[in-house]
Structure formats: C-alpha cells, structure tokens
Amino acid sequence: MLSVKHLIDTNSLTADDITQILDTAKAFEAVNNRDIKKVPALRGRTIVNLFLEPSTRTRSSFELAEKRLSADSLNMGGSTSSVVKGESLADTIQTIDAMNVDMFVCRARLAGTPQRITENTDAIVINAGDGKHQHPTQAMLDLYTIRENFGHLDGLKVAIVGDLSHSRVAGSLAPALKTMGAEVTLVGPPTFQVDDPEWFGCPQTADLDEVIPEMDVVYMLRVQLERMEGAAIPSRREYNRLFGLDERRANLMKPEAIVCHPGPMNRGMEINTEVADSARSRILNQVNAGVLTRMAAMYLLLGGESDGLSA
Ligand code: NCD
C-alpha cells in the first residue's frame, strides 16, 4: 500500500512508495508483452480522464493503462466539457463525483488544479501534469527507465538539462531521484535556472560541457516555448549551440551513459536527431515505461497490493 491517497507530487512519496510503483510496473511488463494485454485488476472501477491541456503521450498512455487493467474510463477534454460554458471546476468535479467515480486523472494548464479536485471529491486523484508544478507519473516512468538500464538508482549521477524554470518534469523528477539516492545536477542558462536551487537541494550550473563527462544519465528537457513570456533565450540555433545535446557533446559522455527526454522533442533545439535516435537514447523506452508505471500507480492507489499480482 502507498503512504499517500492521491498522486499529486513526488515530494510526498517515500522511497518505499516509489519502489512499490516501480516493482509493480515491472510485474505488469509481462502483461504488456502478451498478445492479450489485459488483466481484470481494476474491473468495475471507473476512471475519469480530465485533460484540460493538449497531450498526446500522457493521455494515450493513461487510456491504454486503464484498458489493460479492465477499468471503465470516461474521457473529458477542455473543449467538450461544460468548463467552456463557464462552469466552475468545483461544479464540474462535484457533478461527475455524483455519478460515483473512483478516480480522476487530471492534466491542467493551471498549477494546483489536481489538488483543488481533491477538495471536491472523495475519489482518488492523479496529477497528469499541472502547469509548471509537477508531473509525478512522468517521474515514475523516468525512474523505471533508468533503473531498468542500470539495475539501481542509488549513487547514479543525473544531469537535468535545459528549461528548468518552466518545467514540471524537472520539478517532479529531481525530488524523486533524490529520494532514491541519486545525485542530481541542474544545468541551464541563467534565464532558465530556478531561483532557489535549494528547493530541489541540487547544485546548478550553466556549463554543460563541464559536467557531462561525469554523468550516468543526461536528461534533456523540452524548451517550453508555449510557457515563455518574452524572449528568455537568444535563438534556436544559439540555444542549441550552448545547451543542445548534439553529437559532439554526446561524445563527451561516458560510454555506458544514457540520454532521456520526456517528449515531445524540439529536434535541433535541445536535442539533435543524431543523438535522439542513437543507441544511447532511451526515449522510446520511456514511452513504453509510461504505460507500465501508470498501470502500477492506478492499481496501487485503488487498493491493489504490490505482491498480490498474479500477472
Ligand atoms: C511533458 C509535459 O507535458 O509535461 N510531456 C509529457 O508529458 N510527455 C513534457 C513537455 O511537454 O515538455
């Protein structure tokens, strides 16, 4: 059993919670590799996917995870819900809640929305990314991918590189890695650095070439062009020259070091095609791990036991 009722941020998760999610995800790998990718674990449970911001991989990953666990799911988007008619979020949630649902999965532009949902329902809430705040299931799939590669997380050196200040991915990955004993270094241009690196408890630098040779994992963040007010960076080409992961920089990495990216990628900006599609890249492994870790998180939050799987 997890120590939390909802999955809103990774700061609230203990090492034991994270290990349960990763181990349960591992157990679901066998299900996902079968011809018939379905177990009855969540039969009869109702899950509402409330996606108030565009999403491809997170949304499809949650939907597939729900189907593979035999849950009944309801998909609601920003433009198809009464939110566009001016209904308040609280009213929308209370209305759906009155239909007796078990879980809300919420993606929102506004940080804090999933937390607000918990105040208007008894159902369990999973944050599928809220503004610049957190994206906890992304962190779980990242940890899963890294642990699969190295067999452990403790002691690994991980650089999280790029648009730190606009990134909910960094905001959830850094604390989760630290809880699991990894060493995190934040790398980004001064305009993208976080005001208080102590908030993450991680050192922060603008010199990627200096730190890259020591790293086991180089985690490139997408430049959040849609979240930028004013020009925080000079140009695409200049950003690529200073902070992009191109072949020259990838060659500075340890031979066994890996590259991750949450997607969607801005190819030619934070990452170049020759690296994104190289043998070091674990980007598609991350996508695959997304379904497994979301199955695990939903299963455990809805009362499943990590050792009770007959998968
Ligand atoms: C991330 C997101 O939306 O937070 N993408 C994702 O969920 N796979 C990262 C991003 O958009 O940069």
Side-chain angles (χ1 to χ4, degrees):
M1 227 180 98
L2 300 179
S3 70
V4 290
K5 176 179 178 187
H6 308 284
L7 186 52
I8 304 295
D9 59 54
T10 57
N11 307 54
S12 319
L13 297 176
T14 62
D16 181 59
D17 290 331
I18 295 175
T19 303
Q20 280 188 63
I21 294 173
L22 302 187
D23 289 350
T24 304
K26 185 70 189 164
F28 282 132
E29 199 170 46
V31 176
N32 267 25
N33 291 335
R34 289 184 201 152
D35 283 344
I36 297 170
K37 303 172 185 52
K38 215 174 180 74
V39 283
L42 295 186
R43 191 161 54 199
R45 302 302 196 113
T46 311
I47 301 178
V48 178
N49 300 313
L50 184 62
F51 276 69
L52 304 170
E53 190 192 66
S55 164
T56 316
R57 66 208 80 215
T58 303
R59 182 177 184 146
S60 43
S61 176
F62 268 110
E63 282 182 35
L64 281 180
E66 289 154 12
K67 289 185 200 309
R68 289 179 188 176
L69 293 172
S70 311
D72 293 315
S73 49
L74 184 68
N75 294 320
M76 297 184 62
S79 58
T80 55
S81 76
S82 290
V83 175
V84 290
K85 295 186 195 161
E87 181 172 76
S88 74
L89 180 73
D91 282 337
T92 304
I93 299 305
Q94 286 168 16
T95 303
I96 303 168
D97 186 62
M99 301 181 201
N100 265 341
V101 302
D102 298 295
M103 178 178 271
F104 285 90
V105 174
C106 175
R107 156 70 60 105
R109 203 174 293 281
L110 208 65
T113 303
Q115 180 62 41
R116 278 198 50 219
I117 294 177
T118 66
E119 290 152 19
N120 289 284
T121 177
D122 289 329
I124 290 159
V125 180
I126 295 185
N127 178 3
D130 63 330
K132 297 180 205 170
H133 177 223
Q134 282 249 348
H135 192 358
T137 59
Q138 176 71 45
M140 294 304 107
L141 73 88
D142 296 332
L143 262 52
Y144 185 89
T145 306
I146 298 169
R147 193 181 79 161
E148 277 294 288
N149 192 82
F150 294 99
H152 64 100
L153 293 165
D154 55 297
L156 291 177
K157 290 183 188 270
V158 182
I160 304 180
V161 185
D163 189 357
L164 302 160
S165 56
H166 298 97
S167 176
R168 57 188 169 216
V169 173
S172 38
L173 179 58
L177 280 167
K178 298 213 33 140
T179 299
M180 299 310 285
E183 283 176 44
V184 180
T185 303
L186 304 175
V187 186
T191 44
F192 283 168
Q193 293 192 1
V194 284
D195 291 340
D196 179 9
E198 287 307 312
W199 185 62
F200 290 115
C202 310
Q204 192 163 224
T205 173
D207 194 341
L208 182 54
D209 284 350
E210 188 186 55
V211 300
I212 208 168
E214 295 160 27
M215 296 297 147
D216 299 300
V217 181
V218 177
Y219 193 104
M220 303 307 295
L221 297 169
R222 183 172 69 85
V223 179
Q224 310 275 315
L225 296 163
E226 77 280 17
R227 285 187 205 144
M228 246 156 253
E229 304 111 27
I233 46 167
S235 72
R236 216 179 158 94
R237 181 190 289 199
E238 183 74 354
Y239 185 86
N240 183 254
R241 194 177 65 76
L242 291 168
F243 296 98
L245 191 56
D246 58 10
E247 201 160 29
R248 179 192 69 78
R249 276 206 177 100
N251 287 335
L252 300 175
M253 292 168 63
K254 291 194 224 172
E256 67 282 10
I258 59 168
V259 171
C260 295
H261 188 297
M265 291 181 269
N266 294 307
R267 286 178 186 253
M269 193 166 189
E270 70 267 1
I271 191 163
N272 289 29
T273 286
E274 65 270 18
V275 180
D277 302 337
S278 72
R280 286 186 187 284
S281 169
R282 294 292 176 276
I283 297 169
L284 293 176
N285 303 66
Q286 289 174 270
V287 177
N288 185 265
V291 179
L292 304 175
T293 45
R294 288 174 176 124
M295 286 170 80
M298 291 192 283
Y299 173 76
L300 291 169
L301 287 167
L302 285 168
E305 293 292 333
S306 49
D307 54 4
L309 281 177
S310 54

